[in-house]
Structure formats: structure tokens, C-alpha cells
Amino acid sequence: EPGQLVGRINQQDPLRRFDGYANESATSKKIAYNVFKKGDSAYLSGDVLVMDELGYMYFKDRSGDTFRWRGENVSTTEVEGCLSHLLNMTDVAVYGVEVPGIEGKAGMAAIADPDNKIDPDLFYQDLIKVLPPYARPVFLRILPVVDTT
């Protein structure tokens, strides 16, 4: 069963200390209290892992990298992977955007297409074969390059 990786914070141990971020609000969102025992604190990594039958753990997703649309949770990582594969491994960034008057966030895909080669009709036909309706991006941004960090 997938679960989030958390780590006990110990300010006296250089490998387990957490000094936080410049933004106090961001710091408070990453710390949970009374996790392993009363009075302790733990760092919430945001990484979702799965464990196999031998106890090996594998990265599955990021907990913050999802949005809710049409009553379903959508993994941006999974949608990015599908779109990138359909488009022959081009850079893709997927994220949820608010639509006024509608609950949840609609999918937005920013797609790198520096040579203007994407055929929207063919792309849509391929897209409906690999993604359920709720996971399909509602909005597309075709860009010369997708910003990366």
C-alpha cells in the first residue's frame, strides 16, 4: 500500500535535524507532531513510496503533485509520463488550475514543441486511448520550452 515517507526530527542529530524554510508557513506544513510517540515531531517528505514483498521501497509519486478533478485524484506525474510518451519524450509539465465556479482543479499541460510539430487532432485521439476522462488535461499550453528548475 502506498504511503508517505516521514522522518523523525532530532535537532541534536545532524542527519535528523530540520531547520525549516525561510517561509514559516511552508515550514509548518512539513512538520507533524506526536507521530511515533507523544511529544515528538516528524518531517513530512511529500514522497509517496511503495514497499515490495522483500521490503525494498520504491518511489511512486509526490503527495503534493496531485489535484482533484471531477471527484477523482489525478497524479500529475502519471499524466506527465503518458503525455511525454505519446509525444516521443518531449518535456511536459502538468498541474491543476482553478476554474471559477467549478469545484476542484482542471488539468493544465505545458508541452514543449519548439518546432510546432504537434498535431492536436492526432494527439487527442492518442490521449483518449491512454487516460481516463478525468485525467485528461482540459487546457494545453504549447511552448517553445518548458521551464525547469
Side-chain angles (χ1 to χ4, degrees), residues 125-144:
Q125 292 305 316
D126 290 340
L127 189 65
I128 62 175
K129 295 174 189 171
V130 297
L131 288 174
Y134 65 85
R136 295 177 198 148
V138 176
F139 303 105
L140 299 178
R141 292 181 68 200
I142 308 300
L143 307 164

Side-chain angles (χ1 to χ4, degrees), residues 27-88:
T27 298
S28 67
K29 290 178 185 175
K30 286 293 192 176
I31 299 175
Y33 298 94
N34 305 315
V35 175
F36 299 103
K37 65 179 184 175
K38 189 172 178 140
D40 74 353
S41 58
Y43 175 76
L44 305 173
S45 73
D47 293 330
V48 178
L49 307 176
V50 292
M51 186 184 313
D52 69 12
E53 61 279 355
L54 299 174
Y56 291 101
M57 301 185 88
Y58 301 90
F59 177 84
K60 178 169 177 57
D61 206 349
R62 290 272 306 150
S63 64
D65 296 343
T66 61
F67 58 90
R68 191 155 179 81
W69 181 243
R70 305 272 187 226
E72 300 284 347
N73 292 324
V74 180
S75 166
T76 58
T77 306
E78 288 181 32
V79 176
E80 286 171 359
C82 287
L83 300 184
S84 182
H85 180 73
L86 288 176
L87 298 167
N88 296 313

Side-chain angles (χ1 to χ4, degrees), residues 103-122:
E103 186 178 336
K105 291 186 176 185
M108 167 82 80
I111 300 170
D113 185 22
D115 301 320
N116 243 358
K117 291 184 177 181
I118 294 176
D119 177 339
D121 294 324
L122 180 61

